Amino acid sequence: MKFLCLHGAGTNADILKSQLMPLSNALSREDATEFHFVEGECESTPVEEVTQFYQGPYLSFYPWPPRMQEAEYDDTRERAYELIYEAIEEDGPFDAILGFSQGASLAYSFLQQHATKHPYDPPWSLFRCAVFVCGMPPFRLNETRQPSLHRKPSASLGQAVNAQELSDCLSSLAASKPVLRSEESRDSDSNSPSCSASAGSTFSQQLTSTVSPASAISSVVSLDPNDASFKLESDDFELAFDEDFRALQIPSVHVGGRSDKVYNLTRKLYDGMDRNNALWVEHELGHTIPWDKKNTQTFVEAIRRLERSAVLT
């Protein structure tokens, strides 16, 4: 299986390679697997934890998090689309597109804009499937207010988080530090938080025999994915989602961390998918790519199920 991979904000391609190393090693042991990486061009300020463990340059695909009335956002996002098209032309064809954090949001918006511009192309013309890790629907923060996400019975987006925490959270790789541990310590880590997988479709049912359903899913507030112009507001923030937010027509895997401050945003992206075509994989970590043996194996199972589903698409 051949992946085109998009990194998170304030990082780079080499950092994503490090984050994906446990997954790529596990997949390669079973079958031939290739990972190709696209790198953003916007210089960014990383959080301290990134600089302690990884060298720069620290890059993003576009300003992150994007804000209303930010002219640079549209231009740089279009340039990011061009980078993906160039990678497809030079290194393709690819089986799947994989994105982490900003890269996941970019992957989703890229697929949607391509479908809009090329309505007569089959959905699988560029990629047969997609993987979103800590992926969120395309959104913008209203800069006229102090963006702050609050837990509310009517529209929860996760733990309380102020503007700076949100920016740090979306670009932080602090939880990825254990990737630097040896393979032996990862394999022996029997107490690591484990993944679970859940969905209501044939696509995911084969996974539930080996991993238990996600216990936290029932407590997540459901946001209406059919309301394309959905806005979540309070007295001090506004979070507006792009108007073209809609289900993909290719199979997808969505990986989210129960301790992620933007957990419910990752759920919103999954909730907007066709449940017969999407799989939710959940772990107990934060805004990161799972690294330990238990979580990695569940991730591998999800990828293999995705691969089989994509063949039938």
Side-chain angles (χ1 to χ4, degrees), residues 4-6 9 40 63 70 94-95 102 105 118 140-141 143 145 172-173 187 198 200 224 228 236 241 246 281 313:
L4 182 65
C5 304
L6 310 176
E70 190 167 33
F94 294 97
D95 298 300
Q102 184 191 62
S105 293
H118 305 276
R140 297 200 199 191
L141 299 176
E143 62 184 357
R145 300 181 183 179
S172 175
L173 296 179
D187 290 348
S198 177
D224 184 7
D236 59 359
F241 296 99
R246 60 191 185 277
V281 178
T313 301

Side-chain angles (χ1 to χ4, degrees), residues 4-17 19-20 36-42 44 57-62 64 83 98-107 133 170-171 173 289:
L4 182 65
C5 304
L6 310 176
H7 62 79
T11 65
N12 58 46
D14 286 339
I15 292 174
L16 184 57
K17 287 178 187 177
Q19 291 177 285
L20 289 173
H36 293 256
F37 296 82
V38 176
E39 194 161 67
E41 296 181 336
C42 300
S44 303
Y58 305 108
L59 304 167
S60 298
F61 290 100
Y62 45 79
W64 190 254
L83 292 173
L98 181 154
F100 169 66
S101 192
Q102 184 191 62
S105 293
L106 171 60
V133 184
L170 294 176
S171 60
L173 296 179
I289 299 175

Side-chain angles (χ1 to χ4, degrees), residues 95-165:
D95 298 300
I97 187 167
L98 181 154
F100 169 66
S101 192
Q102 184 191 62
S105 293
L106 171 60
Y108 172 84
S109 61
F110 171 81
L111 293 169
Q112 294 295 32
Q113 66 84 34
H114 182 83
T116 300
K117 291 181 179 178
H118 305 276
Y120 299 108
D121 284 3
W124 56 88
S125 60
L126 297 181
F127 302 97
R128 294 188 295 114
C129 53
V131 180
F132 304 102
V133 184
C134 300
M136 295 154 280
F139 69 92
R140 297 200 199 191
L141 299 176
N142 190 336
E143 62 184 357
T144 63
R145 300 181 183 179
Q146 172 75 2
S148 176
L149 310 185
H150 301 281
R151 181 174 297 280
K152 288 186 173 183
S154 59
S156 170
L157 280 179
Q159 305 171 35
V161 50
N162 62 34
Q164 188 57 50
E165 288 175 334

Side-chain angles (χ1 to χ4, degrees), residues 232-291:
L232 184 64
E233 300 187 38
S234 75
D235 293 337
D236 59 359
F237 86 99
E238 179 181 79
L239 187 65
F241 296 99
D242 284 4
E243 293 182 359
D244 62 351
F245 176 42
R246 60 191 185 277
L248 296 174
Q249 296 185 47
I250 58 173
S252 58
V253 163
H254 302 253
V255 182
R258 223 171 278 175
S259 300
D260 192 348
K261 290 182 178 179
V262 290
Y263 169 83
N264 281 12
L265 280 176
T266 67
R267 279 288 309 189
K268 178 171 173 61
L269 182 60
Y270 167 71
D271 287 340
M273 299 298 108
D274 178 353
R275 291 303 176 85
N276 292 317
N277 224 18
L279 172 64
W280 173 254
V281 178
E282 184 171 293
H283 55 81
E284 295 180 357
L285 302 171
H287 198 74
T288 188
I289 299 175
W291 63 83

